[in-house]
Amino acid sequence: MHLNENGTSEQHSTNGVVDLESKVRQRLESYDQTHLLKFYSELSQSEKGKLLSDIASVDFEDIKQFFLQAANLDWDQKIGPTDESRLSPVEKDIVGSVHDPEAEAYRSRGLSAIASNSVCVLLLAGGQGTRLGVNYPKGMFDVGLPSGKTLYQIQAERILKIQKLADKHAGHSQPTAVIPWYIMTSEHTKEATEKFFDSRDYFGLDRSNVVFFEQNMIPCIDFQGKVLLESKCKLARSPVVEDMERRGVEHINIYGVDNILVRIADPVFIGFAISKQADCANKVLLKNDPHERVGVVCKLDNNYKVVEYSEIPNEVSEKRDADGKLLYGASNIVNHYLSFQFAHKMCLARGHDPEAEAYRSRGLSAIASNSVCVLLLAGGQGTRLGVNYPKGMFNVGLPSGKTLYQIQAERILKIQKLADKHAGHSQPTAVIPWYIMTSEHTKEATEKFFDSRDYFGLDRSNVVFFEQNMIPCIDFQGKVLLESKCKLARSPDGNGGLYRAMRECQVVEDMERRGVEHINIYGVDNILVRIADPVFIGFAISKQADCANKVLLKNDPHERVGVVCKLDNNYKVVEYSEIPNEVSEKRDADGKLLYGASNIVNHYLSFQFAHKMCLEESSLLSYHEAKKKIPYLDVETGKMVESPSGNTGLKREKFVFDVFPYTKKFAMLEVDRESEFAPLKNDNSAGTECPDTSRAAIYKLHSRWMLQNGAKIIAPPSSNGDGCSFPKSPKTVLSNSDEGDRKTDVEFECEISPLVSYAGEGLEELCKDKEFTPPICIN
């Protein structure tokens, strides 16, 4: 009798294998997976034991249910008309009409409000006139009236007229009524619109009462209420809200640019909303026919919404009341009323939000109390970057040569210092534990990398590595694939495998021991990621959220990011790969993407919520399918297919945000793309989401920080004199002016160490009234 490597007898081991083999065969037969043992007889005893153990660990019932679900569901089932039980018409008692006997009273009340200078109008003017056959803003379009007036001029003159009517109504002897006109442009319309107004002398309006702001800075609130989809409620992100408050604005009329008959600051509408004490009101008109392609105002899940025509079943659209009117006939015409207080409350963005500093303070206090941790999803290899090591070890080519891991480590060090300073600690006491979830492919390399760099200055006891699980891959018939004759083909279970790994690797217990209450989860491949962002942490705490998410607006319909939306009244993130092109391209009446709130893999979970999800993830979270080119052993030929020409099977993944539907209190914070999101997915040949674009994002952000803190950047000419890299003049000074801000689009090397500044703070003494010549590297 001989002992095997683990000290047990060979005879005992063989009997054990035989017993296990019998059980495994029975299980495989019941799930039609017997092909996994086709090469069993060719294996050595140890290989047999390894394969049987591998198979025994598989939940075939889970695979069966997943496959049945994946095979039977398609997009016709996933996205379609809304169930009628969720819809109801708007109550009649809140609906008014311009033909009401009270209309004159409404008009009088509206004119009084205008005369008291408490009404403003806000124009949504971000759209180009492409579909009109022109390449300039819609508002500049001339429809061919005898006067030749453009939409902008017609609207300006309506403002002038209603101001005069308000003065007359109030008995003013001099013109005193003012309706401030806030005009939200876009990157494409801003310059042309401003020049157009300037060249026409603002159409007779006082230019101080016309305020332009840009869509990517201050998105506007949409009446639809789809905050998660639209999230254009960033009025508080610039001086616009402060400007409204300074002027004493109480009532806001929001409208679209492309309605030539639009009644701006309509006193009947303003007076109606005031009389109803409404914080939000909407102008509607009756649909011409049941199937008119317009959004319909109704109640969905007992909340007021604008529901797209395509989401209402035909038979529901055709329903009428006792008077023969369509029950779902109130069509949206993009003319809304918001009280200033309601608009202010709806602002979720940070920036210059008056509450942002309070959020930051609350977040720093939480960090200083050692109740915040960060959790990095670091299971990915850098294959698409052209390297065979973990993404976090990648160097995008910054002057400092820092890798993603080092940049993130230094941000943790800096925010710990800021928290200590905020709390008045005389000694460094703030600690942000860093949990790093690796995979089978990245674990060893990542740990060695941290060790060789002395953990980048962090206390190694506060850096905790743990590994996500690997699960079997299946083919399109639901059969488990083999990687070799004695090994199943496996892949990581997705970043949503986090919850199982946290449970099985005792991460939850470690967090509890440390007193963690707030968890910030993020992905490894965003070079601008703000780790343990105190504004985000404080925002989530202030909202008493058990789950929160950072989002930004998509650049275009096909941007490769997940989209936040509500499905059956639950919060979800739908991956870009799961949304058909035609769905991604859908827009609302204002031309905004219906599926435009993009996920950037930066989440907040309360510890209690995360703990609950770790305990219940197996029953709550389902797998998503991903068709992949999976190398496999062909059971018919016995040969390995190393480089399949097409997709060969399904990898199953769970996503970290799959827990969103189970939150009781969700919150969402919209952030700036240029400040917080520059993903690293591809090598430079792709031209996007690559090292070049990541590096440029750092340069642009950091140069902006310097300009905002009073620096002057002297940009030298390009080396070949063509002016492509820098301005042609030998000494072009960039400063914090409009002209300077535009010139920061010119790329030059400018890198500020995270150890110096976390988010642009603390740079005034370093930068103010000082000149810098690129390349700039501040360590």
Side-chain angles (χ1 to χ4, degrees):
M1 184 182 294
H2 299 280
L3 294 178
N4 59 24
E5 291 181 357
N6 62 13
T8 60
S9 69
E10 188 70 34
Q11 182 66 41
H12 176 79
S13 177
T14 302
N15 289 339
V17 168
V18 171
D19 291 342
L20 183 57
E21 178 186 343
S22 176
K23 293 177 181 178
V24 165
R25 284 191 182 279
Q26 290 177 13
R27 188 160 180 78
L28 291 179
E29 286 172 2
S30 66
Y31 286 99
D32 193 24
Q33 300 278 2
T34 55
H35 67 287
L36 295 176
L37 294 179
K38 181 168 183 178
F39 304 101
Y40 189 73
S41 62
E42 302 175 19
L43 306 179
S44 68
Q45 201 65 30
S46 63
E47 287 175 332
K48 287 179 179 178
K50 182 178 180 182
L51 177 61
L52 293 176
S53 297
D54 201 8
I55 294 173
S57 68
V58 175
D59 185 345
F60 286 99
E61 180 62 27
D62 186 44
I63 289 175
K64 176 184 174 182
Q65 295 304 320
F66 162 78
F67 182 74
L68 290 174
Q69 182 183 30
N72 292 334
L73 287 180
D74 57 35
W75 272 97
D76 288 336
Q77 292 168 293
K78 292 178 183 175
I79 296 180
T82 305
D83 190 298
E84 184 180 0
S85 64
R86 299 172 60 199
L87 295 167
S88 58
V90 173
E91 302 92 331
K92 289 185 177 181
D93 63 342
I94 69 165
V95 179
S97 169
V98 293
H99 304 296
D100 286 349
E102 299 96 334
E104 189 53 41
Y106 296 152
R107 183 177 184 273
S108 176
R109 193 157 189 178
L111 286 172
S112 295
I114 294 168
S116 70
N117 294 342
S118 65
V119 175
C120 76
V121 291
L122 195 156
L123 169 60
L124 308 174
Q128 287 280 69
T130 311
R131 289 167 60 185
L132 297 172
V134 298
N135 61 354
Y136 49 78
K138 280 186 181 178
M140 293 165 54
F141 194 79
D142 168 9
V143 301
L145 293 173
S147 65
K149 292 177 182 177
T150 62
L151 296 177
Y152 281 146
Q153 182 171 354
I154 292 168
Q155 292 168 22
E157 292 181 357
R158 286 184 182 142
I159 291 173
L160 288 166
K161 182 60 177 178
I162 202 67
Q163 288 177 166
K164 287 183 179 180
L165 291 174
D167 278 329
K168 181 178 180 181
H169 175 80
H172 294 161
S173 58
Q174 297 292 325
T176 60
V178 173
I179 302 173
W181 194 9
Y182 297 90
I183 302 177
M184 185 179 78
T185 61
S186 68
E187 180 182 81
H188 308 295
T189 65
K190 180 179 186 291
E191 185 176 2
T193 298
E194 292 183 11
K195 285 182 177 179
F196 190 73
F197 270 68
D198 190 62
S199 67
R200 271 73 176 174
D201 198 25
Y202 284 68
F203 308 106
L205 290 165
D206 184 335
R207 63 181 61 207
S208 68
N209 295 322
V210 180
V211 181
F212 298 99
F213 62 99
E214 200 170 342
Q215 184 173 346
N216 65 347
M217 293 172 59
I218 318 166
C220 187
I221 300 168
D222 192 316
F223 179 75
Q224 295 184 35
K226 297 179 180 178
V227 175
L228 291 173
L229 285 172
E230 304 299 334
S231 295
K232 293 204 171 183
C233 43
K234 298 172 74 173
L235 288 174
R237 294 190 57 203
S238 82
V240 169
V241 161
E242 287 87 339
D243 187 79
M244 288 182 178
E245 195 166 26
R246 177 180 61 79
R247 294 175 185 265
V249 167
E250 298 175 20
H251 315 288
I252 307 170
N253 177 208
I254 303 174
Y255 70 99
V257 71
D258 52 2
N259 173 11
I260 199 169
L261 298 181
V262 64
R263 291 194 177 177
I264 305 164
D266 176 8
V268 175
F269 183 38
I270 300 297
F272 167 78
I274 295 171
S275 297
K276 297 294 183 182
Q277 297 182 308
D279 49 25
C280 187
N282 198 29
K283 274 193 176 184
V284 297
L285 48 80
L286 293 181
K287 292 171 70 171
N288 281 330
D289 67 77
H291 307 297
E292 188 177 356
R293 297 160 68 90
V294 291
V296 173
V297 183
C298 61
K299 296 187 79 172
L300 177 66
D301 297 327
N302 210 35
N303 292 315
Y304 298 107
K305 300 268 187 173
V306 174
V307 179
E308 284 298 292
Y309 66 89
S310 57
E311 298 173 21
I312 302 178
N314 287 339
E315 61 274 17
V316 176
S317 295
E318 295 168 355
K319 287 192 171 184
R320 298 178 182 269
D321 64 15
D323 300 326
K325 290 184 180 179
L326 291 170
L327 284 174
Y328 297 93
S331 60
N332 176 45
I333 60 170
V334 197
N335 197 322
H336 319 303
Y337 165 92
L338 271 63
S339 72
F340 175 79
Q341 292 303 321
F342 179 69
H344 196 183
K345 179 181 177 181
M346 287 297 101
C347 293
L348 298 178
R350 48 180 290 182
H352 299 286
D353 185 335
E355 293 180 288
E357 191 53 40
Y359 295 152
R360 183 176 185 272
S361 176
R362 194 157 189 177
L364 286 172
S365 295
I367 293 168
S369 70
N370 295 341
S371 64
V372 175
C373 76
V374 291
L375 197 156
L376 168 61
L377 307 172
Q381 286 281 69
T383 311
R384 287 167 60 187
L385 298 172
V387 298
N388 62 354
Y389 49 77
K391 279 187 182 179
M393 293 166 54
F394 194 81
N395 169 14
V396 301
L398 292 173
S400 65
K402 292 176 182 177
T403 62
L404 296 178
Y405 282 147
Q406 183 171 354
I407 292 168
Q408 292 168 23
E410 291 183 356
R411 286 184 183 141
I412 291 173
L413 287 166
K414 181 61 177 179
I415 204 66
Q416 288 177 166
K417 288 184 178 180
L418 290 174
D420 277 328
K421 181 179 179 181
H422 176 80
H425 294 162
S426 57
Q427 296 294 323
T429 60
V431 172
I432 302 173
W434 194 8
Y435 296 91
I436 302 176
M437 185 177 78
T438 60
S439 67
E440 179 183 85
H441 306 296
T442 64
K443 182 176 187 294
E444 184 177 2
T446 298
E447 292 185 10
K448 285 183 177 180
F449 189 73
F450 271 69
D451 190 62
S452 67
R453 270 72 176 176
D454 197 24
Y455 284 68
F456 308 106
L458 291 164
D459 184 334
R460 63 182 60 208
S461 68
N462 295 322
V463 181
V464 181
F465 299 98
F466 64 104
E467 192 174 349
Q468 71 183 115
N469 288 280
M470 306 286 286
I471 57 175
C473 304
I474 60 178
D475 67 15
F476 296 120
Q477 285 72 47
K479 303 293 183 67
V480 174
L481 294 170
L482 285 166
E483 182 179 312
S484 68
K485 292 181 179 181
C486 62
K487 187 177 182 182
L488 306 189
R490 291 177 178 264
S491 64
D493 56 358
N495 56 33
L498 162 72
Y499 305 104
R500 176 184 173 188
M502 285 176 66
R503 182 183 72 245
E504 294 181 350
C505 298
Q506 286 78 53
V507 170
V508 172
E509 287 85 345
D510 188 79
M511 289 181 177
E512 193 166 30
R513 177 180 62 79
R514 294 174 184 265
V516 167
E517 298 176 21
H518 315 287
I519 307 171
N520 177 208
I521 303 171
Y522 70 98
V524 71
D525 54 2
N526 173 13
I527 199 167
L528 298 183
V529 63
R530 291 192 179 176
I531 306 163
D533 176 8
V535 175
F536 185 38
I537 300 297
F539 168 79
I541 294 171
S542 298
K543 299 297 182 184
Q544 297 182 311
D546 46 28
C547 186
N549 197 30
K550 278 191 177 185
V551 298
L552 47 80
L553 297 179
K554 291 173 72 172
N555 273 331
D556 66 79
H558 306 298
E559 188 177 359
R560 295 160 67 90
V561 289
V563 173
V564 184
C565 60
K566 289 189 81 173
L567 180 62
D568 294 329
N569 210 33
N570 290 318
Y571 301 103
K572 299 265 187 174
V573 175
V574 180
E575 279 295 287
Y576 68 88
S577 58
E578 298 178 15
I579 304 179
N581 287 340
E582 61 272 19
V583 177
S584 295
E585 293 168 357
K586 285 189 174 182
R587 296 177 183 269
D588 65 12
D590 299 329
K592 292 174 286 190
L593 289 170
L594 285 171
Y595 299 91
S598 59
N599 176 50
I600 60 173
V601 196
N602 197 323
H603 316 302
Y604 165 92
L605 270 64
S606 70
F607 174 77
Q608 293 302 322
F609 180 66
H611 192 182
K612 175 182 171 65
M613 290 299 101
C614 290
L615 295 176
E616 300 178 13
E617 59 85 23
S618 59
S619 61
L620 295 180
L621 308 186
S622 300
Y623 285 109
H624 303 264
E625 66 176 273
K627 296 177 181 179
K628 298 288 185 178
K629 296 178 181 179
I630 306 170
Y632 69 100
L633 183 74
D634 190 328
V635 296
E636 299 300 325
T637 65
K639 295 181 180 179
M640 189 68 194
V641 181
E642 294 282 1
S643 302
S645 58
N647 294 327
T648 56
L650 300 173
K651 290 186 177 181
R652 298 173 297 145
E653 300 175 300
K654 293 180 180 180
F655 298 138
V656 63
F657 45 70
D658 286 341
V659 301
F660 284 8
Y662 306 104
T663 177
K664 292 182 178 178
K665 188 66 181 295
F666 186 75
M668 191 177 73
L669 185 69
E670 187 181 321
V671 298
D672 292 325
R673 182 182 297 269
E674 291 187 352
S675 298
E676 298 205 32
F677 191 61
L680 179 63
K681 306 286 187 184
N682 312 305
D683 62 25
N684 283 328
S685 65
T688 183
E689 299 185 348
C690 60
D692 283 350
T693 56
S694 293
R695 192 171 58 250
I698 287 284
Y699 293 164
K700 187 172 183 179
L701 177 62
H702 290 187
S703 61
R704 191 165 78 241
W705 287 356
M706 294 186 70
L707 296 176
Q708 289 170 345
N709 282 276
K712 296 180 180 179
I713 299 176
I714 305 170
S718 61
S719 57
N720 60 8
D722 64 7
C724 293
S725 298
F726 300 100
K728 285 185 177 180
S729 59
K731 189 173 181 179
T732 299
V733 178
L734 308 185
S735 60
N736 192 25
S737 65
D738 290 342
E739 183 67 16
D741 286 344
R742 283 197 288 275
K743 287 181 181 174
T744 58
D745 289 337
V746 177
E747 182 180 323
F748 49 82
E749 292 184 6
C750 181
E751 181 188 3
I752 300 172
S753 168
L755 297 174
V756 175
S757 183
Y758 174 85
E761 79 293 328
L763 294 175
E764 186 173 0
E765 184 177 347
L766 178 69
C767 296
K768 189 171 179 60
D769 298 326
K770 295 180 182 177
E771 293 185 356
F772 296 84
T773 302
I776 302 167
C777 187
I778 300 175
N779 281 311

